[in-house]
């Protein structure tokens, strides 16, 4: 992976670019316009302005640039204006000065000795020069780094903004907000300009996590993992320059700040007087945010000296006031750099002081934070017994707040310290085995299944199974699930041993629940044994005091397993699942409710009840987040929600849900639902990045164990990828393997889409033997639900052709409601209607409308290609004004109007260049114009770009 120091694509600045465009629009309308762009160092002010100016290439706009120099208040006068006027003279020749060379000699010494030295005359000459040039074409005058501007430069800017007010001149100034300390001369100047009509201030914010991920993708040349994004986002805090520095490091998520960045951060600290530096070092030990009282307890200086030091640090913009009345480092990396620069003894001593202060007065930190703060400081102070006990207390507190990730990290610390503290068992009041099992459960809840597997193995090693059969069975069953999730085995040996141990265990509710769980696990690998264990669980439940409740628990587990394995129709289990969800709601069992909603949303989807499926999944997402299972159950809910949204044609919403799921970085097999759907969506939209996602998902096909439904849909994905890139050999090869899969007849929900893809591969490649195999398998495969019936009709249409079969497929998809599959069937119908051009045109019109609404570029392109081949143009309903273009076409047209090429449009909208080309062609056709320039002109005239 190669990292580029700078990204060629501007990321996350669409709204900011819009502000610049609006300012230019006002200037074009002869309204004086000045835009002052502020932001901290490295946030991307210059990059934003450069990108804005680049978009003006080819437009009738003259761009002039000048740079203020870091020479102090009395530095080189008018430096940015000298650069701008010099560029103008070089471009247009001395004649542009209209015979006033001597007046401009103060700016350009090469013109000779200056004439009248009055500043007012110079200002009027500069204003007149810009007015003459702007009369022919608008001027964008960019003045960088106003925080270094000398007084003469500020005065000339003020003259242009307040007095000259040159029509068709857009003056853009950039400045660093973190340089504007109290007494800085730019502060009152900006305040004065704020009162001038036509002057606008715009502050550039840091990037959010999505922006960080996008910038890292551009810099690294590949999409980084969620863990890398989280690490860089947490440390760089959205500052593009800092993100670039981390990306240029060998490992963007590395523990150390890059040396060049560390030096830059500490250079500002070194400018502080020594007393302020000492206080800043103490503050850095307290964390990114800290309270005044706590700092006062630890700093060891009198109140007056502390306040004086803090005032100096605040003035230097290194710390700021936080909303809660304390202080906060302006950037976390500054705190980290200062903290890492501490001497070893100083480090331990200061952390010990913080721990002692918080232990004596817990109210010095925000409510609920004392346990975690004590655990952190005692560990850093190297007091291991105290670090052990406080880490366990902090872990318990985190668990009560469902902060499983934090709890898992703290329990890991307890395990590490256990060996260093001989009296650990007596201090904590628990055995090592208890700690191992608790840590394993929390690791599962936090989504770290790899660590959970190691901890479970360690716990089994410490346990006497004969003495504790129920506990051993629970650990074995947990291990079986973890092995499956990792794709290492089907867990059959663990399940068999767990079943044997449950036969030895004392009867009780826990044994019943474990039997039900075992029946669920067996359902996908050994349905016969699953049924036997389920009957055993029901019999055991009937003999318990809480028989009714336990029987319901067993019924839900069995129903879930039967649905997932394909043994029962979702319609048969929906009542049981709905009843379980209702009981969970009534009991306030949020965890039980989220699990029920996963299965309910999945079952409703299988039945073609897409709206209900989306609603059920959407209901579960906040519950999963609330109880800390976002990385596991929450990912399934988000993926189920996205799947239903895709069927409903709400692809942008679906993509957002899948992005959320990806951010949580689910472990092992739990990643497959979002991974395969996002890959499918990118294939359907013709977006870059589909192939790496398919490759990542397809790696699971080589695992020792993969659930049948996962295997079927991954094979389908591989065929779709091969067909998308025209690799018929691979498509046919995978297709041949697919139809021979033993589970094809057990999983109709996943088999029918796979058969449709295999049929397409057979027809496109002319492989009659493969086509015959598909027909044979299809004739024996069950069809129970709308989507299955529609896929069956589609397979027949693909294999046999003919308008009648294609119309049957279209009707079936209309009944089901899946928008994309309907559009694909309509495309086939249009081709079958080749002899009836009006009918084909009408059908293609519907295909184009659906494909455009979805953003399905390849399908839209296929419709255009078919239309040209048949000699027809898709029929579009007659519309006028702003209704003529879709929302996506308006986005494309805005970029066309800016003079962007199809390649740039594709990069801006994250679509392929081919898709961009199709959109441009459709825009030209809809507006009845001959080329891109005419399209932009018509759009301006009709007001299609006004919103």
């Amino acid at each position: 992976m190669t990292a580029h120091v700078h990204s060629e694509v501007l990321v996350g600045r669409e709204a900011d670019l819009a502000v610049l465009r609006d300012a230019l629009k006002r200037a074009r309308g002869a309204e004086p316009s000045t835009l002052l762009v502020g932001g901290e160092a490295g946030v991307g002010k210059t990059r934003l302005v450069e990108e804005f100016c680049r978009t003006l290439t080819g437009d009738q706009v003259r761009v002039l640039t000048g740079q203020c120099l870091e020479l102090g208040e009395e530095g080189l006068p008018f430096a940015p204006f000298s650069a701008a006027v010099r560029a103008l003279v070089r471009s247009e020749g001395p004649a542009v000065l209209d015979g006033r060379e001597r007046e401009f000699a103060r700016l350009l010494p090469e013109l000779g000795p200056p004439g009248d030295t009055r500043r007012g005359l110079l200002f009027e000459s500069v204003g007149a020069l810009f007015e003459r040039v702007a009369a022919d074409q608008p001027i964008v005058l960019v003045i960088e780094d106003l925080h270094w501007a000398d007084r003469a430069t500020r005065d000339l800017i003020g003259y242009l903004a307040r007095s000259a007010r040159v029509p068709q001149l857009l003056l853009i100034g950039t400045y660093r907000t973190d340089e504007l300390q109290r007494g800085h001369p730019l502060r009152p100047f900006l305040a004065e300009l704020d009162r001038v009509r036509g002057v606008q201030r715009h502050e550039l914010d840091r990037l959010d996590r999505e922006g960080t991920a996008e910038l890292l993708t551009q810099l690294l040349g590949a999409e980084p993992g969620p863990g890398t994004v989280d690490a860089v986002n947490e440390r760089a805090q959205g500052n593009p320059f800092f993100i670039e520095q981390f990306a240029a490091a060998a490992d963007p998520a590395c523990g150390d700040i890059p040396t060049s960045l560390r030096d830059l951060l500490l250079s500002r600290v070194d400018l502080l007087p020594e007393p302020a530096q000492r206080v800043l070092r103490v503050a850095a030990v307290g964390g990114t945010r800290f309270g005044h009282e706590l700092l006062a307890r630890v700093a060891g200086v009198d109140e007056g000296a502390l306040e004086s030091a803090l005032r100096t640090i605040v003035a230097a913009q290194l710390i700021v006031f936080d909303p809660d009345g304390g202080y906060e480092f302006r950037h976390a990396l500054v705190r980290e750099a200062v903290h890492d620069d501490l001497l070893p003894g100083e480090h331990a001593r200061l952390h010990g002081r913080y721990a002692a202060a918080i232990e004596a007065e817990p109210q010095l930190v925000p409510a609920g934070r004392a346990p975690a703060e004590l655990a952190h400081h005692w560990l850093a102070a190297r007091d291991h017994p105290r670090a052990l006990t406080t880490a366990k207390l902090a872990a318990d507190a985190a668990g009560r707040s469902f902060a499983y990730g934090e709890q898992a990290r703290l329990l890991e610390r307890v395990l590490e310290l256990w060996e260093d503290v001989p009296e650990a068992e007596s201090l904590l009041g628990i055995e090592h085995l208890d700690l191992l099992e608790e840590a394993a459960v929390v690791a599962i809840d936090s989504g770290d299944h790899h660590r959970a597997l190691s901890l479970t193995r360690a716990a089994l090693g410490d346990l006497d199974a004969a003495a504790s059969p129920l506990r051993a069975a629970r650990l074995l069953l947990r291990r079986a699930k973890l092995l499956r999730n990792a794709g290492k085995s089907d867990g059959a040996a663990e399940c068999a041993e767990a079943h044997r141990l449950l036969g030895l265990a004392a009867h009780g509710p826990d044994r019943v629940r474990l039997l039900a769980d075992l029946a669920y696990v067996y359902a996908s690998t050994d349905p016969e044994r699953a049924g036997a264990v389920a009957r055993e669980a029901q019999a055991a439940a009937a003999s318990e005091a809480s028989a009714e409740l336990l029987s319901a628990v067993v019924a839900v587990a069995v129903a879930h397993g039967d649905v997932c394995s394909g043994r029962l129709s979702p319609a048969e289990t929906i009542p049981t699942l709905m009843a379980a969800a209702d009981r969970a709601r009534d009991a306030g069992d949020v965890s039980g409710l989220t699990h029920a909603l996963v299965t309910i949303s999945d079952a409703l989807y299988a039945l073609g009840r897409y709206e209900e499926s989306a609603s059920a999944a959407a209901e579960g997402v906040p519950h999963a987040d609330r109880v800390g299972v976002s990385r596991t159950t929450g990912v399934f809910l988000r993926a189920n929600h996205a799947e239903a949204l895709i069927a409903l044609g709400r692809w942008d919403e679906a993509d957002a849900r899948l992005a959320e799921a990806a951010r949580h970085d689910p472990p092992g097999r739990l990643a497959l639902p979002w991974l395969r759907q996002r890959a499918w969506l990118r294939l359907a939209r013709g977006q870059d990045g589909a192939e790496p996602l398919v490759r990542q998902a397809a790696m699971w096909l080589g695992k020792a164990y993969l659930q049948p439904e996962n295997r079927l849909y991954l094979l389908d994905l591989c065929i779709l990828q091969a067909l998308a890139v025209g690799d018929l050999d691979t498509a046919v090869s995978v297709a041949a393997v697919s139809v021979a899969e033993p589970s094809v007849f057990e999983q109709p929900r996943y088999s029918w889409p796979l058969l449709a893809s295999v049929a397409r591969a057979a027809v496109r490649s002319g492989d009659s033997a493969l086509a015959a195999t598909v027909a044979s398998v299809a004739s024996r495969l069950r069809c129970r639900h709308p989507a299955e019936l529609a896929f069956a009709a589609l397979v027949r249409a693909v294999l046999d052709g003919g308008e009648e079969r294609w119309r049957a497929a279209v009707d079936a998809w209309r009944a089901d409601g899946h928008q994309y599959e309907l559009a694909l069937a309509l495309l086939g119908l249009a081709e079958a209607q080749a002899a009836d051009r009006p009918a084909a045109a009408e059908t293609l019109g519907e295909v184009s409308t659906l494909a455009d609404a979805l953003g399905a570029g390849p399908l839209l392109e296929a419709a255009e290609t078919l239309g040209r081949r048949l000699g027809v143009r898709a029929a579009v309903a007659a519309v006028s004004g702003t209704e003529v273009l879709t929302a996506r076409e308006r986005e494309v047209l805005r970029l066309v109007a800016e003079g962007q090429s199809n390649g740039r449009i594709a990069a801006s909208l994250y679509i392929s260049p081919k898709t961009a080309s199709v959109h441009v062609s459709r825009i030209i056709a809809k507006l009845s114009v001959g080329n891109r320039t005419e399209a932009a002109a018509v759009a301006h005239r009709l007001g299609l770009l006004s919103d």
Side-chain angles (χ1 to χ4, degrees), residues 68-80 119 145-156 179-181 183-189 192:
C68 297
L69 305 178
E70 192 178 4
L71 298 177
E73 173 67 6
E74 300 304 326
L76 186 63
F78 305 118
R119 276 202 331 169
D145 296 324
L146 288 177
H147 49 279
W148 291 332
D150 60 281
R151 180 172 180 175
T153 296
R154 292 196 303 272
D155 288 346
L156 182 47
E179 292 280 351
L180 304 188
Q181 304 173 16
H184 195 290
L186 189 63
R187 293 179 69 165
F189 178 68
E192 291 173 12

Side-chain angles (χ1 to χ4, degrees), residues 22-146:
D22 288 343
L24 179 58
K25 184 178 179 180
R26 291 194 299 272
R28 287 181 188 273
E31 179 183 342
S33 186
T34 299
L35 183 64
L36 305 172
V37 181
E40 67 182 6
V43 81
K45 302 176 295 297
T46 298
R47 181 72 181 83
L48 172 70
V49 174
E50 286 175 349
E51 178 68 15
F52 170 67
C53 293
R54 189 197 60 74
T55 64
L56 301 178
T57 303
D59 203 349
Q60 293 299 309
V61 176
R62 183 184 297 276
V63 177
L64 302 173
T65 303
Q67 178 86 35
C68 297
L69 305 178
E70 192 178 4
L71 298 177
E73 173 67 6
E74 300 304 326
L76 186 63
F78 305 118
F81 287 99
S82 297
V85 174
R86 183 174 286 113
L88 191 59
V89 170
R90 285 175 180 168
S91 171
E92 302 297 323
V96 74
L97 301 179
D98 197 29
R100 301 185 181 184
E101 285 84 350
R102 295 191 64 191
E103 294 170 15
F104 281 99
R106 288 189 62 186
L107 298 182
L108 307 179
E110 61 267 28
L111 294 178
D116 194 322
T117 58
R118 288 177 298 172
R119 276 202 331 169
L121 184 59
L122 173 63
F123 286 9
E124 288 177 4
S125 298
V126 171
L129 170 64
F130 289 147
E131 188 164 358
R132 285 195 307 276
V133 175
D136 296 328
Q137 59 181 156
I139 296 176
V140 173
L141 174 60
V142 179
I143 300 181
E144 293 270 22
D145 296 324
L146 288 177

Side-chain angles (χ1 to χ4, degrees), residues 508-523:
D510 288 344
R511 178 175 177 273
V512 173
R513 290 188 177 90
L514 283 174
L515 283 169
D517 201 15
L518 181 60
Y520 161 70
V521 174
Y522 267 135

Side-chain angles (χ1 to χ4, degrees), residues 171-245:
L171 194 159
I172 300 174
T174 68
Y175 62 95
R176 293 181 186 172
T177 53
D178 50 346
E179 292 280 351
L180 304 188
Q181 304 173 16
R182 183 170 298 172
H184 195 290
L186 189 63
R187 293 179 69 165
F189 178 68
L190 293 174
E192 291 173 12
L193 288 183
D194 279 340
R195 297 193 294 270
V196 177
R197 184 171 60 84
V199 175
Q200 177 185 1
R201 266 213 258 184
H202 179 72
E203 187 155 340
L204 216 54
D205 292 327
R206 297 172 181 175
L207 298 176
D208 59 13
R209 186 192 180 282
E210 291 304 311
T212 297
E214 191 179 336
L215 181 55
L216 281 173
T217 300
Q218 296 293 335
L219 293 167
L220 299 174
E223 189 170 339
T228 298
V229 175
D230 288 337
V232 174
N233 184 58
E234 182 179 352
R235 301 178 75 193
Q237 292 185 314
N239 184 295
F241 174 73
F242 294 166
I243 295 169
E244 289 174 349
Q245 294 298 305

Side-chain angles (χ1 to χ4, degrees), residues 238-263:
N239 184 295
F241 174 73
F242 294 166
I243 295 169
E244 289 174 349
Q245 294 298 305
F246 279 111
D251 178 5
C254 64
D256 295 329
I257 303 174
T259 303
S260 59
L261 180 56
R262 181 186 302 278
D263 292 343

Side-chain angles (χ1 to χ4, degrees), residues 559-729:
H560 186 101
D562 286 343
V563 169
C564 292
S565 64
R567 292 177 61 222
L568 284 181
S569 164
E572 298 175 66
T573 58
I574 282 285
T576 301
L577 297 170
M578 291 288 195
D582 289 339
R583 282 195 303 274
R585 285 191 193 92
D586 293 341
D589 179 8
V590 179
S591 180
L593 178 59
T594 56
H595 283 90
L597 289 171
V598 170
T599 312
I600 289 170
S601 60
D602 189 61
L604 290 169
Y605 181 90
L607 295 172
R609 293 157 62 175
Y610 301 130
E611 287 283 3
E612 294 174 78
S613 173
S615 296
E619 179 189 352
V621 168
H623 293 314
D625 293 343
R626 175 184 162 195
V627 295
V629 290
S630 302
R631 199 174 172 211
T632 50
T633 308
V635 167
F636 277 116
L637 287 163
R638 285 176 169 87
N640 286 359
H641 191 197
E643 190 173 29
L645 292 171
I646 287 172
L648 293 167
R650 292 155 58 182
W651 283 15
D652 289 340
E653 294 175 64
D655 197 34
R657 270 304 193 212
L658 293 172
E660 291 174 19
R663 272 202 304 275
H664 288 295
D665 192 20
R669 181 180 54 83
L670 271 59
L672 285 179
W674 79 260
L675 192 57
R676 61 109 174 175
Q677 286 185 58
R678 203 171 201 194
W680 183 93
L681 197 56
R682 289 191 178 179
L683 283 173
R685 283 188 150 172
Q687 293 175 324
D688 293 336
E691 191 272 335
L693 290 177
V694 174
R695 188 170 61 249
Q696 183 182 349
M699 288 173 57
W700 280 84
L701 291 170
K703 295 285 187 179
Y705 172 75
L706 187 64
Q707 286 180 306
E709 65 268 25
N710 297 149
R711 185 167 182 81
L712 292 174
Y713 68 53
L714 288 180
L715 289 168
D716 184 24
L717 191 63
C718 291
I719 296 172
L720 291 174
Q721 162 70 13
L723 291 175
V725 299
D727 185 356
L728 289 180
D729 289 341

